[in-house]
Amino acid sequence: MGAGEMAQWLRALAALPEDPGSVPREVSRQRSDPRRPNEVLRYKPLLSECNTALDDPTPDYVHLLGMTFSLCGLMLKLKWGAWVAVYCSFISFANSRSSEDSKQMMRSIMLSISAVVMSYLQNPQPMMPPW
């Protein structure tokens, strides 16, 4: 590559915009901006007093119920209690909000599953109805 070719290449490189994906200023001035700044509305979240779904304590109660039944399944060797704990933990997981702690949900599910496993390891007989 000669000196003349190098100079020509450097001039062409200097003429490029800084960002290869950007549009040159002359082209952007020619286009009209379709946005209307007077039509822009700021997002306002709903008040928590109006939104009762955020105040619903049912998933928390089901979570507590699942933890209680899983402990009953582990300590008292109640197979039906362990299965109710699995059912409650999946219900509380399905109804939980995304802002809640997912580690706590996974601990609850793992505790209820371990209650089922331990109750069947201690007594592998099929579950008898409690009535």
Side-chain angles (χ1 to χ4, degrees):
M1 178 182 251
E5 292 175 7
M6 181 67 115
Q8 185 180 12
W9 183 77
L10 287 174
R11 271 186 253 132
L13 185 61
L16 289 176
E18 292 177 15
D19 182 20
S22 68
V23 179
R25 290 184 185 153
E26 299 83 31
V27 176
S28 65
R29 286 185 196 142
Q30 293 171 0
R31 294 184 192 164
S32 63
D33 193 3
R35 295 176 292 181
R36 294 173 285 193
N38 57 346
E39 296 290 325
V40 174
L41 297 175
R42 195 163 192 64
Y43 174 72
K44 295 177 186 173
L46 296 174
L47 297 174
S48 63
E49 297 139 13
C50 300
N51 196 355
T52 58
L54 294 176
D55 298 332
D56 187 20
T58 306
D60 297 331
Y61 291 144
V62 174
H63 181 73
L64 181 65
L65 194 64
M67 295 292 277
T68 305
F69 275 116
S70 63
L71 288 176
C72 287
L74 277 173
M75 302 297 178
L76 304 176
K77 300 174 185 143
L78 297 174
K79 291 180 184 177
W80 63 269
W83 281 111
V84 169
V86 169
Y87 184 69
C88 288
S89 64
F90 282 131
I91 287 175
S92 67
F93 178 72
N95 291 323
S96 66
R97 292 178 285 280
S98 62
S99 61
E100 288 183 11
D101 188 19
S102 61
K103 290 180 184 177
Q104 184 179 2
M105 285 294 160
M106 294 312 291
R107 286 184 195 122
S108 171
I109 291 171
M110 293 307 294
L111 180 65
S112 61
I113 290 174
S114 67
V116 169
V117 169
M118 291 306 292
S119 64
Y120 276 97
L121 281 177
Q122 292 170 355
N123 184 10
Q125 306 300 327
M127 183 174 70
M128 301 305 271
W131 53 87

